[in-house]
């Protein structure tokens, strides 16, 4: 008979950011919805010893950042470079507001999503002949690349995938 090991439900370590991690068998993961204000799922693995590993936020994206994608998608119908520039500036302001000096550091999902958005902005700016404010773009890059985000960047770089 083999002894089965579990990560417990009741430990204070299991409740973080209003997320309750369920009793999970060692070597398995628990998946929960992201904290309020975010979209996506958060994962946490119960290691082989029955201890919780750190949560993985790679799919958690702040709703305001997530909604910037919809704004960029609507640019496909805009032909006026001035209007395209206004949308791009609005998106850059939103990103900067949610990644710069916030009490909550951006999640790895926020950073991954933001890099995708910035890449889109460069392409859209070129195709729509829109002006991208280089100072705002630089401010966003500075806030995203801030040293305080190193933990989230490590998670992005490792792209932890669960089976």
């Amino acid at each position: 008979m083999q002894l089965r090991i579990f990560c417990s439900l009741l430990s204070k370590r299991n409740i973080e950011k209003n997320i309750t991690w369920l009793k999970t068998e060692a070597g398995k993961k628990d998946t929960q919805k992201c904290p309020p204000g975010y979209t996506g799922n958060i994962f946490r693995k119960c290691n082989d010893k029955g201890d919780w590993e750190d949560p993985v936020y790679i799919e958690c994206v702040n709703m305001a950042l997530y909604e910037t994608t919809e704004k960029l998608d609507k640019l496909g119908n805009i032909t006026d470079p001035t209007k395209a520039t206004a949308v791009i500036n609005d998106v850059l302001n939103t990103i900067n507001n949610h990644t710069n000096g916030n009490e909550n550091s951006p999640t790895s999902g926020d950073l991954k999503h933001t890099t995708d958005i910035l890449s889109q902005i460069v392409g859209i700016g070129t195709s729509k002949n829109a002006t991208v404010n280089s100072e705002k773009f630089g401010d966003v890059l500075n806030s995203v690349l801030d040293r305080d985000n190193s933990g989230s960047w490590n998670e992005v770089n490792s792209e932890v995938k669960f089976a």
Side-chain angles (χ1 to χ4, degrees):
M1 182 171 140
Q2 188 175 6
L3 179 65
R4 292 175 60 191
I5 301 171
F6 291 86
C7 289
S8 70
L9 167 69
L10 300 175
S11 168
K12 284 186 179 181
R13 282 185 54 185
N14 300 341
I15 299 173
E16 185 175 303
K17 295 187 179 183
N18 295 322
I19 298 171
T20 301
W21 300 99
L22 303 178
K23 181 179 177 182
T24 303
E25 188 172 357
K28 306 278 183 180
K29 68 168 179 153
D30 185 22
T31 303
Q32 298 294 326
K33 292 285 182 195
C34 294
Y38 289 81
T39 184
N41 292 314
I42 183 173
F43 308 99
R44 197 166 196 183
K45 185 175 180 184
C46 176
N47 69 22
D48 293 335
K49 295 178 182 177
D51 295 320
W52 286 112
E53 294 183 0
D54 290 335
V56 177
Y57 291 89
I58 196 73
E59 292 184 10
C60 285
V61 179
N62 181 290
M63 286 302 296
L65 293 176
Y66 181 78
E67 290 166 0
T68 61
T69 302
E70 294 172 7
K71 291 178 184 177
L72 289 179
D73 289 345
K74 290 178 183 174
L75 276 177
N77 299 325
I78 295 176
T79 55
D80 180 358
T82 304
K83 289 181 181 177
T85 298
V87 171
I88 290 170
N89 285 334
D90 179 48
V91 168
L92 289 173
N93 285 332
T94 300
I95 294 169
N96 202 37
N97 290 340
H98 285 86
T99 58
N100 189 16
N102 255 342
E103 60 188 52
N104 297 325
S105 294
T107 67
S108 55
D110 289 341
L111 296 178
K112 184 177 178 191
H113 191 75
T114 297
T115 57
D116 292 342
I117 291 169
L118 293 176
S119 188
Q120 280 183 287
I121 285 173
V122 170
I124 290 168
T126 303
S127 69
K128 298 288 182 183
N129 202 23
T131 304
V132 176
N133 182 318
S134 58
E135 188 172 336
K136 280 185 186 182
F137 196 87
D139 288 345
V140 169
L141 286 177
N142 281 336
S143 65
V144 166
L145 295 174
D146 190 278
R147 184 180 309 226
D148 291 341
N149 299 334
S150 63
S152 292
W153 275 116
N154 288 338
E155 197 171 285
V156 170
N157 290 332
S158 67
E159 284 269 359
V160 178
K161 300 287 183 192
F162 291 102

